Amino acid sequence: MAILKLYNPIMTEEGAEMMRWCGSDGVCFKDIDEFLASIASDDDTIDLRLHCEGGSVTEGWAIYDRLRQTGKEITATIEGNCASMATIILLAAPKERRRAYENAHICIHNPWLCPWALGDAVTADDLQKYANDLRSEQERMVSLYVERTGSDADELQSLMNEDKYI
C-alpha cells in the first residue's frame, strides 16, 4: 500500500519551489505525479491522507484527475482539515472509502481570486471575464460534488456560499 500524505498547500510547481526555498513546503501536480510513478506496479492501493487547506484550482484538478487515472483502489482519510481544492482531491476516492477522524473538519466554498492576481489596472471587461471564469469553475465543482457524493446541488451550493468549516 502506497501512503500519500497531502499536508501542505496545493500550488504550482514554481510556487512549491519558492516555498521550499523559503523553508516551508507546498505540493504540486509534479510531486504527486512523481509519487504515483514510484509506486510498484503490483501495488494496487493508495492510502491518501489529508490535512490540507487547499490551494491552486488548476493544480487541484490535475491531481484529482491523475489519482483517478491510476485505476488503483484509493482510500482517503481526513486527518485534520480538508478545505477548498483538497475536498476535490478527497473525491478521488469512492464514497465508501472516504473517512475522517472524529475531530476532522471539512470546508467547501466558492472559488475566489486573490486580489494581487488582478494586477494594477483592471477594466470592467476584465472583471466580467474573471467573474465568468469563477462561475464556470464553481459550477464544475458543484457538479463533481453532486456526482461523487450523491448530495443535492442546492444544498452543496448553500454550504459553499457559507464558506465555513463543518
Side-chain angles (χ1 to χ4, degrees), residues 57-150:
V57 171
T58 303
E59 293 290 306
W61 280 112
I63 292 167
Y64 167 82
D65 287 340
R66 180 66 177 95
L67 284 166
R68 297 271 298 155
Q69 179 273 330
T70 65
K72 296 184 182 295
E73 180 179 289
I74 300 171
T75 299
T77 304
I78 303 171
E79 296 185 327
N81 290 332
C82 182
S84 194
M85 281 312 287
T87 65
I88 295 295
I89 295 169
L90 168 71
L91 298 179
K95 191 175 182 178
E96 66 275 7
R97 287 198 300 271
R98 288 183 225 134
R99 301 174 174 85
Y101 286 170
E102 182 178 347
N103 293 299
H105 294 91
I106 191 168
C107 178
I108 61 174
H109 65 86
N110 295 320
W112 48 268
L113 182 65
C114 294
W116 52 263
L118 295 175
D120 292 333
V122 181
T123 67
D125 289 340
D126 294 333
L127 288 175
Q128 187 61 55
K129 181 187 178 322
Y130 290 133
N132 292 341
D133 290 348
L134 287 170
R135 289 274 183 234
S136 176
E137 195 58 50
Q138 181 177 321
E139 291 168 7
R140 191 166 108 168
M141 293 170 85
V142 170
S143 292
L144 184 72
Y145 289 141
V146 168
E147 174 189 324
R148 301 289 291 165
T149 68

Side-chain angles (χ1 to χ4, degrees), residues 32 56 149:
I32 303 304
S56 167
T149 68

